[in-house]
Amino acid sequence: MGIKATEEEFAAATAYEDLHVPALFRQWAPRVAEAAQIRPGQRVLDIACGTGILAREAARHSGTNGFVAAVDISPGMLAVASRQAPEIEWRIAPAESLPFGDDSFDVVVSQFGLMFFEDRPAALREMMRVLAPGGRIAAAVWASLEESEAYPIEVALLERLAGRPAADALRAPFVLGDIDELGMLFENSGMASVGVATHHGRARFPNIRTMVEADLRGWLPVMGVVLAEEEIVRILEEAEHDLGEFVTPGGTVEFDSPAHIVTGHKPHC
């Protein structure tokens, strides 16, 4: 039975898959899978899977003899994901309460979801619970806002034209950028051999308007901030100037977008 979602949920998730995955997320899936050292035949769980770009990469690594499951709280995301890869087991579930037994997986991965969990320590404890002894975890989070080239400018623009709540909504993905705090969060979960490595990715959008409008009409409402149409129009106009330095000769928008990948494993005892 497929995942049921409303038309609005499915449309929003489809837009996410069509825009944000190629612009930001696709490039990270092979890196996280490599950091997790996924091997053929392994059982893999992807947490906060979105439309499934990392789960699909995990399935390629684990092969026909492996098993991949993925969870998210969004029916729309899972509806899109299940259509693209029906062989993966897609489940609606929060990271803090995983619908799997103890020691069920050899590898647990998560890509750009940890920042939004309601209870991060509880979610990490759940990851450890479902992971078999000796099993490996790999999770990606965005580096701090200041390390991104374009987003600090967009945040400042929102702060100036739409106020603090709008700016804070765009700051939210970057809240785990401190490497020391991030490593401690994982160590406190009982994970062994925790390592944090910073990698540089490249954000690529068709143009400035597409990039900013996706945040204003897509991301901000998800975070509970809905702007008036006149505010959106003004921000889009100002963005053409403020973000102009990131426009390539071909008219696309590109900029450095660094992230941290955390790795570790579950002790045998």
Side-chain angles (χ1 to χ4, degrees):
M1 183 180 296
I3 303 292
K4 294 182 179 180
T6 66
E7 289 185 11
E8 291 80 7
E9 289 170 337
F10 187 80
T14 299
Y16 174 93
E17 172 69 17
D18 292 344
L19 175 62
H20 286 100
V21 169
L24 291 171
F25 303 125
R26 179 179 294 150
Q27 63 191 298
W28 292 100
R31 301 188 193 194
V32 176
E34 182 179 351
Q37 301 177 8
I38 301 171
R39 299 189 299 274
Q42 287 190 316
R43 303 160 296 166
V44 185
L45 174 63
D46 179 13
I47 299 176
C49 63
T51 53
I53 185 63
L54 178 54
R56 297 194 296 270
E57 184 70 22
R60 284 190 283 272
H61 283 256
S62 63
T64 55
N65 293 325
F67 169 75
V68 177
V71 301
D72 201 281
I73 60 172
S74 168
M77 294 288 191
L78 292 174
V80 171
S82 62
R83 290 194 181 189
Q84 297 205 46
E87 71 279 8
I88 293 172
E89 182 177 314
W90 307 100
R91 303 280 290 272
I92 297 176
E96 296 86 354
S97 182
L98 298 173
F100 303 101
D102 297 354
D103 306 337
S104 296
F105 296 94
D106 304 299
V107 179
V108 173
V109 293
S110 183
Q111 180 169 294
F112 304 120
L114 183 63
M115 303 87 70
F116 308 111
F117 296 166
E118 289 188 8
D119 188 334
R120 294 178 197 128
L124 288 171
R125 289 194 296 270
E126 276 290 271
M127 291 183 193
M128 292 290 284
R129 180 185 65 79
V130 302
L131 190 63
R136 190 165 175 85
I137 287 179
V141 303
W142 294 117
S144 64
L145 178 64
E146 294 73 22
E147 295 178 71
S148 173
E149 289 185 332
Y151 283 115
I153 297 172
E154 187 180 353
V155 166
L157 177 63
L158 290 182
E159 184 101 43
R160 177 164 55 88
L161 297 182
R164 185 62 179 269
D168 284 347
L170 195 56
R171 289 186 179 101
F174 305 96
V175 297
L176 291 180
D178 186 288
I179 290 178
D180 293 334
E181 291 182 6
L182 184 61
M184 186 64 65
L185 178 66
F186 278 76
E187 288 175 359
N188 288 342
S189 73
M191 194 181 305
S193 304
V194 174
V196 182
T198 302
H199 300 257
H200 287 268
R202 201 77 187 151
R204 294 180 174 89
F205 290 90
N207 49 61
I208 292 174
R209 183 183 181 90
T210 300
M211 171 190 166
V212 178
E213 193 164 24
D215 290 331
L216 301 182
R217 300 190 190 277
W219 179 247
L220 264 63
V222 168
M223 298 296 288
V225 179
V226 178
L227 301 181
E229 188 62 28
E230 56 268 24
E231 287 182 297
I232 292 176
V233 170
R234 186 180 177 196
I235 291 167
L236 291 174
E237 290 173 351
E238 294 280 340
E240 294 291 339
H241 172 267
D242 289 7
L243 297 170
E245 65 183 283
F246 303 109
V247 177
T248 70
T252 61
V253 173
E254 294 191 14
F255 53 90
D256 188 36
S257 187
H260 306 313
I261 297 179
V262 189
T263 55
H265 69 268
K266 182 175 179 176
H268 285 278
C269 58

